[in-house]
C-alpha cells in the first residue's frame, strides 16, 4: 500500500487592494458590461459581481436591507432603465448622422 505525502502549498488566491476593486467597479459601471470590464482587467466576472454585491451591501448599511425584496426589485428596475438609456443613446447616435 502506497502512502500519500501531503505537502502544503502556498495560498494561490490573489489579493486585490481596494483601489483596484473601486476602479474595476467604476469601469464595469461605465462600460455597462461586467464581462468586458472583467476581461479588460484580467479578473473573473464572478469576482466582479461579488465585489458589486459587497459594495451594495456596504452602501445599504446591512445585508438584510440588501436582501430586501423591494430593494432588490428597485435595483433591478434601475439596471433595466440604465440599459434602456444606453440603447436610446446608441439609437440617437445612429439617427443623428448626416445622410448624404
Amino acid at each position: 500500500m502506497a502512502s500519500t505525502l501531503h505537502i502544503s502549498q502556498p495560498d494561490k488566491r490573489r489579493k486585490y487592494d481596494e483601489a483596484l476593486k473601486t476602479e474595476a467597479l467604476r469601469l464595469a459601471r461605465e462600460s455597462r458590461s461586467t464581462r468586458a470590464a472583467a476581461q479588460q482587467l484580467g479578473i473573473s466576472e464572478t469576482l466582479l459581481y461579488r465585489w458589486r454585491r459587497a459594495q451594495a451591501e456596504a452602501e445599504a448599511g446591512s445585508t438584510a436591507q440588501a436582501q430586501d425584496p423591494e430593494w432588490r426589485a428597485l435595483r433591478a428596475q434601475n439596471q433595466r432603465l440604465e440599459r434602456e438609456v444606453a440603447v436610446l443613446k446608441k439609437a440617437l447616435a445612429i439617427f443623428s448622422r448626416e445622410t448624404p
Side-chain angles (χ1 to χ4, degrees), residues 2-44:
S3 64
T4 58
L5 180 61
H6 296 286
I7 301 172
S8 78
Q9 295 184 0
D11 189 16
K12 292 184 180 181
R13 295 178 64 166
R14 293 174 59 183
K15 307 274 189 223
Y16 299 100
D17 62 347
E18 289 300 318
L20 176 72
K21 291 178 184 180
T22 304
E23 179 63 21
L25 291 170
R26 184 194 61 76
L27 182 62
R29 189 174 44 253
E30 287 179 358
S31 70
R32 306 260 192 255
S33 172
T34 303
R35 174 176 286 157
Q39 287 176 347
Q40 184 177 358
L41 294 168
I43 60 175
S44 166

Side-chain angles (χ1 to χ4, degrees), residues 39-50:
Q39 287 176 347
Q40 184 177 358
L41 294 168
I43 60 175
S44 166
E45 185 177 354
T46 306
L47 182 61
L48 201 49
Y49 281 120
R50 194 177 321 137

Side-chain angles (χ1 to χ4, degrees), residues 85-97:
V85 166
V87 169
L88 291 172
K89 284 181 180 179
K90 289 178 184 178
L92 179 63
I94 290 170
F95 290 121
S96 65
R97 291 185 198 156

